[in-house]
Amino acid sequence: LAKTTQPISMDSYEGQEVNITCSHNNIATNDYITWYQQFPSQGPRFIIQGYKTKVTNEVASLFIPADRKSSTLSLPRVSLSDTAVYYCLVGGNNFNKFYFGSGTKLNVKP
Amino acid sequence: GAVVSQHPSWVICKSGTSVKIECRSLDFQATTMFWYRQFPKQSLMLMATSNEGSKATYEQGVEKDKFLINHASLTLSTLTVTSAHPEDSSFYICSARNGTRNNQPQHFGDGTRLSIL
């Protein structure tokens, strides 16, 4: 079971790039890394997923080093609406369960 | 794609009532669904894993007779909170996976706010 560790909170300003790092030292060979965004009173929303190196989509990039023991979610040019809690999840193998860590509360200021 | 619908979005009921929450995958078949609960300002806690056509697997400390889970079809799972009491008040969230391959992420419903008076 891959436990994840993230910073509890981060502050940023509008227009800045934000990088949130997640540690997952005991990630399994078959595990994927997935990031979610959650607003208050809503379910988590899928942002991006990756296995190794770099993945980019229309909203974020995900950087994964060769040892895969950590990952970094990069949000380019954040806005006030990006204020939310961000979770990284590790898992995916067959019926593997997914356990949420504490998440990172990102506060974007004007 | 990959939309998960959860109903109802909120419910208020008296202590002792049983409450059923539905979780539907609208545009894919969900082999596995998960149920979570979340208390204010806390992370999501996995309650149980539900596989279509088989009994749910509950996490340690979660009473299976209290939280009845049924996954009768590939698009529907239900969570019934039986004889609910105020301490069961929480935010319940379901998720579903489209298949069992390693790269299949979970997709979440928008949650159900349960308030027991």
mmCIF file with all atom_site columns, all heavy atoms in Angstrom, chain B residues 41-56:
data_model
loop_
_atom_site.group_PDB
_atom_site.id
_atom_site.type_symbol
_atom_site.label_atom_id
_atom_site.label_alt_id
_atom_site.label_comp_id
_atom_site.label_asym_id
_atom_site.label_entity_id
_atom_site.label_seq_id
_atom_site.pdbx_PDB_ins_code
_atom_site.Cartn_x
_atom_site.Cartn_y
_atom_site.Cartn_z
_atom_site.occupancy
_atom_site.B_iso_or_equiv
_atom_site.pdbx_formal_charge
_atom_site.auth_seq_id
_atom_site.auth_comp_id
_atom_site.auth_asym_id
_atom_site.auth_atom_id
_atom_site.pdbx_PDB_model_num
ATOM 1   N N   . LYS B 1 41 ? -13.281 19.467  6.757   1.00 0.00 ? 41 LYS B N   1
ATOM 2   C CA  . LYS B 1 41 ? -11.859 19.808  6.784   1.00 0.00 ? 41 LYS B CA  1
ATOM 3   C C   . LYS B 1 41 ? -10.942 18.588  6.898   1.00 0.00 ? 41 LYS B C   1
ATOM 4   O O   . LYS B 1 41 ? -9.801  18.710  7.318   1.00 0.00 ? 41 LYS B O   1
ATOM 5   C CB  . LYS B 1 41 ? -11.554 20.795  7.916   1.00 0.00 ? 41 LYS B CB  1
ATOM 6   C CG  . LYS B 1 41 ? -12.317 22.109  7.780   1.00 0.00 ? 41 LYS B CG  1
ATOM 7   C CD  . LYS B 1 41 ? -11.844 23.121  8.794   1.00 0.00 ? 41 LYS B CD  1
ATOM 8   C CE  . LYS B 1 41 ? -12.670 24.412  8.698   1.00 0.00 ? 41 LYS B CE  1
ATOM 9   N NZ  . LYS B 1 41 ? -12.619 25.022  7.355   1.00 0.00 ? 41 LYS B NZ  1
ATOM 10  N N   . GLN B 1 42 ? -11.470 17.428  6.545   1.00 0.00 ? 42 GLN B N   1
ATOM 11  C CA  . GLN B 1 42 ? -10.652 16.228  6.561   1.00 0.00 ? 42 GLN B CA  1
ATOM 12  C C   . GLN B 1 42 ? -10.600 15.613  5.169   1.00 0.00 ? 42 GLN B C   1
ATOM 13  O O   . GLN B 1 42 ? -11.328 16.006  4.267   1.00 0.00 ? 42 GLN B O   1
ATOM 14  C CB  . GLN B 1 42 ? -11.206 15.209  7.563   1.00 0.00 ? 42 GLN B CB  1
ATOM 15  C CG  . GLN B 1 42 ? -11.124 15.658  9.004   1.00 0.00 ? 42 GLN B CG  1
ATOM 16  C CD  . GLN B 1 42 ? -11.512 14.560  9.967   1.00 0.00 ? 42 GLN B CD  1
ATOM 17  O OE1 . GLN B 1 42 ? -11.505 13.368  9.621   1.00 0.00 ? 42 GLN B OE1 1
ATOM 18  N NE2 . GLN B 1 42 ? -11.860 14.928  11.192  1.00 0.00 ? 42 GLN B NE2 1
ATOM 19  N N   . SER B 1 43 ? -9.716  14.638  5.033   1.00 0.00 ? 43 SER B N   1
ATOM 20  C CA  . SER B 1 43 ? -9.577  13.951  3.759   1.00 0.00 ? 43 SER B CA  1
ATOM 21  C C   . SER B 1 43 ? -10.676 12.896  3.602   1.00 0.00 ? 43 SER B C   1
ATOM 22  O O   . SER B 1 43 ? -11.464 12.660  4.504   1.00 0.00 ? 43 SER B O   1
ATOM 23  C CB  . SER B 1 43 ? -8.202  13.293  3.698   1.00 0.00 ? 43 SER B CB  1
ATOM 24  O OG  . SER B 1 43 ? -8.003  12.680  2.448   1.00 0.00 ? 43 SER B OG  1
ATOM 25  N N   . LEU B 1 44 ? -10.718 12.291  2.436   1.00 0.00 ? 44 LEU B N   1
ATOM 26  C CA  . LEU B 1 44 ? -11.683 11.223  2.191   1.00 0.00 ? 44 LEU B CA  1
ATOM 27  C C   . LEU B 1 44 ? -11.204 9.930   2.836   1.00 0.00 ? 44 LEU B C   1
ATOM 28  O O   . LEU B 1 44 ? -10.022 9.584   2.758   1.00 0.00 ? 44 LEU B O   1
ATOM 29  C CB  . LEU B 1 44 ? -11.846 10.972  0.685   1.00 0.00 ? 44 LEU B CB  1
ATOM 30  C CG  . LEU B 1 44 ? -12.638 11.993  -0.125  1.00 0.00 ? 44 LEU B CG  1
ATOM 31  C CD1 . LEU B 1 44 ? -11.820 13.230  -0.412  1.00 0.00 ? 44 LEU B CD1 1
ATOM 32  C CD2 . LEU B 1 44 ? -13.112 11.365  -1.437  1.00 0.00 ? 44 LEU B CD2 1
ATOM 33  N N   . MET B 1 45 ? -12.126 9.229   3.463   1.00 0.00 ? 45 MET B N   1
ATOM 34  C CA  . MET B 1 45 ? -11.810 7.945   4.082   1.00 0.00 ? 45 MET B CA  1
ATOM 35  C C   . MET B 1 45 ? -12.551 6.835   3.326   1.00 0.00 ? 45 MET B C   1
ATOM 36  O O   . MET B 1 45 ? -13.773 6.881   3.207   1.00 0.00 ? 45 MET B O   1
ATOM 37  C CB  . MET B 1 45 ? -12.231 7.931   5.546   1.00 0.00 ? 45 MET B CB  1
ATOM 38  C CG  . MET B 1 45 ? -11.470 8.891   6.426   1.00 0.00 ? 45 MET B CG  1
ATOM 39  S SD  . MET B 1 45 ? -11.817 8.619   8.178   1.00 0.00 ? 45 MET B SD  1
ATOM 40  C CE  . MET B 1 45 ? -13.595 8.681   8.200   1.00 0.00 ? 45 MET B CE  1
ATOM 41  N N   . LEU B 1 46 ? -11.799 5.868   2.847   1.00 0.00 ? 46 LEU B N   1
ATOM 42  C CA  . LEU B 1 46 ? -12.403 4.760   2.130   1.00 0.00 ? 46 LEU B CA  1
ATOM 43  C C   . LEU B 1 46 ? -13.234 3.913   3.091   1.00 0.00 ? 46 LEU B C   1
ATOM 44  O O   . LEU B 1 46 ? -12.754 3.499   4.141   1.00 0.00 ? 46 LEU B O   1
ATOM 45  C CB  . LEU B 1 46 ? -11.318 3.904   1.480   1.00 0.00 ? 46 LEU B CB  1
ATOM 46  C CG  . LEU B 1 46 ? -11.796 2.697   0.679   1.00 0.00 ? 46 LEU B CG  1
ATOM 47  C CD1 . LEU B 1 46 ? -12.605 3.130   -0.537  1.00 0.00 ? 46 LEU B CD1 1
ATOM 48  C CD2 . LEU B 1 46 ? -10.610 1.837   0.241   1.00 0.00 ? 46 LEU B CD2 1
ATOM 49  N N   . MET B 1 47 ? -14.491 3.671   2.697   1.00 0.00 ? 47 MET B N   1
ATOM 50  C CA  . MET B 1 47 ? -15.363 2.832   3.518   1.00 0.00 ? 47 MET B CA  1
ATOM 51  C C   . MET B 1 47 ? -15.397 1.406   2.986   1.00 0.00 ? 47 MET B C   1
ATOM 52  O O   . MET B 1 47 ? -15.324 0.446   3.760   1.00 0.00 ? 47 MET B O   1
ATOM 53  C CB  . MET B 1 47 ? -16.793 3.392   3.508   1.00 0.00 ? 47 MET B CB  1
ATOM 54  C CG  . MET B 1 47 ? -16.946 4.772   4.082   1.00 0.00 ? 47 MET B CG  1
ATOM 55  S SD  . MET B 1 47 ? -18.635 5.363   3.902   1.00 0.00 ? 47 MET B SD  1
ATOM 56  C CE  . MET B 1 47 ? -19.520 4.228   4.973   1.00 0.00 ? 47 MET B CE  1
ATOM 57  N N   . ALA B 1 48 ? -15.579 1.277   1.667   1.00 0.00 ? 48 ALA B N   1
ATOM 58  C CA  . ALA B 1 48 ? -15.743 -0.046  1.095   1.00 0.00 ? 48 ALA B CA  1
ATOM 59  C C   . ALA B 1 48 ? -15.491 -0.017  -0.402  1.00 0.00 ? 48 ALA B C   1
ATOM 60  O O   . ALA B 1 48 ? -15.589 1.019   -1.044  1.00 0.00 ? 48 ALA B O   1
ATOM 61  C CB  . ALA B 1 48 ? -17.149 -0.568  1.370   1.00 0.00 ? 48 ALA B CB  1
ATOM 62  N N   . THR B 1 49 ? -15.155 -1.195  -0.897  1.00 0.00 ? 49 THR B N   1
ATOM 63  C CA  . THR B 1 49 ? -14.951 -1.401  -2.330  1.00 0.00 ? 49 THR B CA  1
ATOM 64  C C   . THR B 1 49 ? -16.042 -2.331  -2.818  1.00 0.00 ? 49 THR B C   1
ATOM 65  O O   . THR B 1 49 ? -16.270 -3.392  -2.222  1.00 0.00 ? 49 THR B O   1
ATOM 66  C CB  . THR B 1 49 ? -13.575 -2.017  -2.591  1.00 0.00 ? 49 THR B CB  1
ATOM 67  O OG1 . THR B 1 49 ? -12.573 -1.169  -2.039  1.00 0.00 ? 49 THR B OG1 1
ATOM 68  C CG2 . THR B 1 49 ? -13.336 -2.192  -4.082  1.00 0.00 ? 49 THR B CG2 1
ATOM 69  N N   . SER B 1 50 ? -16.684 -1.940  -3.895  1.00 0.00 ? 50 SER B N   1
ATOM 70  C CA  . SER B 1 50 ? -17.837 -2.689  -4.391  1.00 0.00 ? 50 SER B CA  1
ATOM 71  C C   . SER B 1 50 ? -17.565 -3.194  -5.791  1.00 0.00 ? 50 SER B C   1
ATOM 72  O O   . SER B 1 50 ? -17.284 -2.416  -6.694  1.00 0.00 ? 50 SER B O   1
ATOM 73  C CB  . SER B 1 50 ? -19.056 -1.743  -4.394  1.00 0.00 ? 50 SER B CB  1
ATOM 74  O OG  . SER B 1 50 ? -20.134 -2.310  -5.101  1.00 0.00 ? 50 SER B OG  1
ATOM 75  N N   . ASN B 1 51 ? -17.637 -4.501  -5.968  1.00 0.00 ? 51 ASN B N   1
ATOM 76  C CA  . ASN B 1 51 ? -17.464 -5.105  -7.283  1.00 0.00 ? 51 ASN B CA  1
ATOM 77  C C   . ASN B 1 51 ? -18.783 -5.676  -7.765  1.00 0.00 ? 51 ASN B C   1
ATOM 78  O O   . ASN B 1 51 ? -19.489 -6.327  -7.006  1.00 0.00 ? 51 ASN B O   1
ATOM 79  C CB  . ASN B 1 51 ? -16.412 -6.214  -7.223  1.00 0.00 ? 51 ASN B CB  1
ATOM 80  C CG  . ASN B 1 51 ? -15.047 -5.670  -6.878  1.00 0.00 ? 51 ASN B CG  1
ATOM 81  O OD1 . ASN B 1 51 ? -14.580 -4.729  -7.493  1.00 0.00 ? 51 ASN B OD1 1
ATOM 82  N ND2 . ASN B 1 51 ? -14.406 -6.245  -5.878  1.00 0.00 ? 51 ASN B ND2 1
ATOM 83  N N   . GLU B 1 52 ? -19.088 -5.445  -9.012  1.00 0.00 ? 52 GLU B N   1
ATOM 84  C CA  . GLU B 1 52 ? -20.364 -5.866  -9.576  1.00 0.00 ? 52 GLU B CA  1
ATOM 85  C C   . GLU B 1 52 ? -20.585 -7.356  -9.405  1.00 0.00 ? 52 GLU B C   1
ATOM 86  O O   . GLU B 1 52 ? -19.712 -8.165  -9.740  1.00 0.00 ? 52 GLU B O   1
ATOM 87  C CB  . GLU B 1 52 ? -20.426 -5.478  -11.058 1.00 0.00 ? 52 GLU B CB  1
ATOM 88  C CG  . GLU B 1 52 ? -21.777 -5.727  -11.709 1.00 0.00 ? 52 GLU B CG  1
ATOM 89  C CD  . GLU B 1 52 ? -21.843 -7.084  -12.386 1.00 0.00 ? 52 GLU B CD  1
ATOM 90  O OE1 . GLU B 1 52 ? -20.786 -7.628  -12.734 1.00 0.00 ? 52 GLU B OE1 1
ATOM 91  O OE2 . GLU B 1 52 ? -22.965 -7.584  -12.571 1.00 0.00 ? 52 GLU B OE2 1
ATOM 92  N N   . GLY B 1 53 ? -21.744 -7.690  -8.827  1.00 0.00 ? 53 GLY B N   1
ATOM 93  C CA  . GLY B 1 53 ? -22.124 -9.077  -8.690  1.00 0.00 ? 53 GLY B CA  1
ATOM 94  C C   . GLY B 1 53 ? -21.520 -9.813  -7.510  1.00 0.00 ? 53 GLY B C   1
ATOM 95  O O   . GLY B 1 53 ? -21.758 -11.008 -7.348  1.00 0.00 ? 53 GLY B O   1
ATOM 96  N N   . SER B 1 54 ? -20.751 -9.133  -6.686  1.00 0.00 ? 54 SER B N   1
ATOM 97  C CA  . SER B 1 54 ? -20.174 -9.795  -5.524  1.00 0.00 ? 54 SER B CA  1
ATOM 98  C C   . SER B 1 54 ? -20.330 -8.910  -4.290  1.00 0.00 ? 54 SER B C   1
ATOM 99  O O   . SER B 1 54 ? -20.713 -7.736  -4.399  1.00 0.00 ? 54 SER B O   1
ATOM 100 C CB  . SER B 1 54 ? -18.700 -10.125 -5.763  1.00 0.00 ? 54 SER B CB  1
ATOM 101 O OG  . SER B 1 54 ? -17.961 -8.946  -5.961  1.00 0.00 ? 54 SER B OG  1
ATOM 102 N N   . LYS B 1 55 ? -20.039 -9.490  -3.145  1.00 0.00 ? 55 LYS B N   1
ATOM 103 C CA  . LYS B 1 55 ? -20.173 -8.732  -1.908  1.00 0.00 ? 55 LYS B CA  1
ATOM 104 C C   . LYS B 1 55 ? -19.106 -7.651  -1.812  1.00 0.00 ? 55 LYS B C   1
ATOM 105 O O   . LYS B 1 55 ? -17.974 -7.825  -2.268  1.00 0.00 ? 55 LYS B O   1
ATOM 106 C CB  . LYS B 1 55 ? -20.069 -9.674  -0.710  1.00 0.00 ? 55 LYS B CB  1
ATOM 107 C CG  . LYS B 1 55 ? -21.240 -10.634 -0.564  1.00 0.00 ? 55 LYS B CG  1
ATOM 108 C CD  . LYS B 1 55 ? -21.094 -11.482 0.702   1.00 0.00 ? 55 LYS B CD  1
ATOM 109 C CE  . LYS B 1 55 ? -22.292 -12.408 0.861   1.00 0.00 ? 55 LYS B CE  1
ATOM 110 N NZ  . LYS B 1 55 ? -22.158 -13.238 2.081   1.00 0.00 ? 55 LYS B NZ  1
ATOM 111 N N   . ALA B 1 56 ? -19.488 -6.574  -1.165  1.00 0.00 ? 56 ALA B N   1
ATOM 112 C CA  . ALA B 1 56 ? -18.540 -5.477  -0.985  1.00 0.00 ? 56 ALA B CA  1
ATOM 113 C C   . ALA B 1 56 ? -17.481 -5.847  0.040   1.00 0.00 ? 56 ALA B C   1
ATOM 114 O O   . ALA B 1 56 ? -17.714 -6.662  0.937   1.00 0.00 ? 56 ALA B O   1
ATOM 115 C CB  . ALA B 1 56 ? -19.282 -4.215  -0.544  1.00 0.00 ? 56 ALA B CB  1
#
